[in-house]
Amino acid sequence: MKPSWWDSALRDATWLDRARAMRYSIVLLLVAVAFALSALIVHGRGGMSGPDPFNNDFVSFWSASRLALDGTPELAYVPKAHGAVERLAYGEAAIPYYAFFYPPVFLMICLPLALLPLGASCWLWLLATAAPYLAALWRLLPPSIGWRRVLCFTFPAIGLNAAYGQNGYLSAAVMAAGLMLLRGRPLVAGLAFGCLVFKPQLAILLPLALAAGGYWRTFFVTAATAALLMLVSLALFGWQTWEAFFANSALAQRVLTDDLVSSWKMASVYAGVKLLGGGAGLAASAQAIAAAVAAGFVVRVARARPDPLDLGAVLVAATLLTTPFVLVYDLTLLAIPLALLIRSGSTTGFRPYEKIAVLAGCVAPMLMLPAGEYLHLPLAPPVVAIVYAVLVRRGLQPAPLSESRPAPLRFLEPRADRGATAAGAV
């Protein structure tokens, strides 16, 4: 029986072969380059003649560093003082205020940034955080595509994070490291996961997944690492800085309720409902339902005890559906489940709708900003939900471990594993 149009075009996506995927990756690369050049031109003509060519969120990190180096870290959480440093960085230009909502743990990461001029510091920040992120993607993607893996680095969220000067590379790299270490080095995985305390909304489901999956050693090391980092930041910056951080959280809440950040720049269910015209109450209800469903399936998949990477893919997608405070640059995280779907499909075969889910996930970050701003259509939540659905199915019906596991992190693998790998290579 001849397959229907639906089966060939969407269900199985037989037309989306490796050659086409590579060509589409090249198109995405060209679009990313065009986006970067247009950003430079627009900001250059817009009168922002400061040292940062993008005039982006990074000035918030740099200004927080400047205040901390000057001995007043608590002022990073006082908008009037923090904004004054931002304007000074641009020669008193009339720039919008870029708030600093991160806990003092992230301020420790930002601390050396103001040792360099703003522009140089921004470029160094992006390069230093992009390197581990791209290395993680390289390891997660299937080796069978060889050097072509480099084209998969054209994932549009990579360019968006660069344009915003944000920390999406760093958070995604930390999450990916923890997931890759979870089976072979559970204690080291906990050290990685604990570092996510600098952006806690992205670790909101992590304790649930670890507990439900029985990864108790990782669970406790994660908690201990997070607590230790908070104590170090307390010793370094003092309680007054933490007090200022908590006081500033009211402004962070207003970002959502009062649209201080445009909903089309956000990728959450909450922002999607508001973009469609819904009120704060309806948006909060929709977000709560999405979070409950996402968390429930994370627990169910974790109890099925799939490969840790399959669980990790579900966890990452579920996190993007759970937290209301997720912006476009946080979609760098989406590359993790997409890479794992490509790996699993390349080794065990793509299941129905997986190819089209990967394609949608790769394209959505490129289209969500114009679709949101001009058409008032939230693309990110439904696309993430589609990716999440196929991941849950794969997590509940896992492939054998050996068929989907990435190459080991050799210097971190147990000695027995290293010996077995060496013996197998001979």
Side-chain angles (χ1 to χ4, degrees):
M1 179 178 174
K2 185 178 180 180
S4 66
W5 174 88
W6 180 273
D7 288 342
S8 60
L10 295 177
R11 182 182 184 274
D12 300 320
T14 53
W15 52 273
L16 187 56
D17 55 19
R18 181 175 297 179
R20 259 198 191 95
M22 291 300 105
R23 288 198 291 270
Y24 293 163
S25 296
I26 294 174
V27 171
L28 289 177
L29 175 61
L30 295 176
V31 170
V33 171
F35 176 82
L37 291 176
S38 65
L40 286 169
I41 293 172
V42 168
H43 287 300
R45 291 179 177 176
M48 295 299 183
S49 57
D52 174 8
F54 290 114
N55 179 35
N56 55 23
D57 295 5
F58 179 78
V59 70
S60 171
F61 304 164
W62 189 91
S63 299
S65 167
R66 181 71 276 157
L67 288 166
L69 291 174
D70 288 344
T72 54
E74 69 279 1
L75 294 184
Y77 301 101
V78 178
K80 185 176 181 179
H82 186 233
V85 177
E86 291 181 349
R87 291 190 298 274
L88 187 62
Y90 281 94
E92 298 294 341
I95 64 171
Y97 175 57
Y98 298 95
F100 190 79
F101 294 133
Y102 298 95
V105 172
F106 186 63
L107 186 56
M108 292 195 300
I109 299 173
C110 295
L111 190 58
L113 294 178
L115 295 175
L116 291 175
L118 178 59
S121 185
C122 181
W123 287 114
L124 182 60
W125 166 261
L126 291 175
L127 291 173
T129 55
Y133 174 65
L134 296 179
L137 289 187
W138 182 273
R139 187 171 293 277
L140 289 174
L141 287 165
S144 59
I145 65 175
W147 66 269
R148 297 177 184 86
R149 282 186 282 182
V150 71
L151 294 179
C152 296
F153 296 163
T154 59
F155 183 53
I158 295 175
L160 290 172
N161 183 78
Y164 280 94
Q166 265 288 347
N167 53 29
Y169 300 149
L170 180 61
S171 54
V174 171
M175 177 69 82
L179 295 176
M180 286 189 288
L181 291 163
L182 184 54
R183 181 171 62 172
R185 286 291 192 184
L187 300 183
V188 184
L191 294 176
F193 287 143
C195 293
L196 285 173
V197 70
F198 83 85
K199 202 165 187 177
Q201 71 268 29
L202 298 184
I204 189 170
L205 293 179
L206 184 59
L208 188 66
L210 294 176
Y215 298 101
W216 290 110
R217 289 187 295 172
T218 306
F219 180 96
F220 289 118
V221 173
T222 299
T225 301
L228 178 62
L229 289 173
M230 289 189 288
L231 288 174
V232 171
S233 70
L234 179 62
L236 187 61
F237 300 128
W239 169 248
Q240 67 275 14
T241 300
W242 274 95
E243 191 174 26
F245 162 69
F246 289 123
N248 198 37
S249 60
L251 178 60
Q253 186 175 0
R254 288 182 54 209
V255 167
L256 292 174
T257 58
D258 298 349
D259 296 324
L260 298 184
V261 173
S262 301
S263 295
W264 55 268
K265 293 181 180 180
M266 305 188 76
S268 65
V269 172
Y270 182 97
V273 173
K274 296 203 73 175
L275 189 60
L276 291 171
L282 179 61
S285 299
Q287 183 67 72
I289 293 171
V293 172
F297 277 104
V298 166
V299 171
R300 186 175 174 185
V301 171
R303 288 178 174 173
R305 302 304 299 270
D307 183 286
L309 287 175
D310 288 335
L311 171 59
V314 173
L315 170 64
V316 171
T319 299
L320 294 173
L321 293 172
T322 299
T323 174
F325 206 94
V326 56
L327 283 95
V328 60
Y329 47 78
D330 292 316
L331 290 179
T332 48
L333 279 168
L334 188 58
I336 297 173
L338 293 178
L340 291 171
L341 264 180
I342 293 171
R343 168 178 286 276
S344 298
S346 298
T347 54
T348 64
F350 285 97
R351 301 178 186 183
Y353 301 106
E354 286 188 345
K355 281 187 180 182
I356 207 70
V358 170
L359 179 62
C362 288
V363 173
M366 178 177 62
L367 300 179
M368 67 163 287
L369 290 181
E373 184 176 10
Y374 301 112
L375 302 177
H376 301 286
L377 293 177
L379 291 185
V383 169
V384 173
I386 292 170
V387 173
Y388 176 67
V390 297
L391 287 168
V392 168
R393 180 184 59 188
R394 187 172 279 274
L396 294 176
Q397 301 170 357
L401 294 180
S402 60
E403 294 182 353
S404 59
R405 187 184 186 188
L409 298 176
R410 291 181 181 274
F411 65 97
L412 292 172
E413 286 291 298
R415 291 187 179 276
D417 287 2
R418 277 188 277 175
T421 302
V426 174

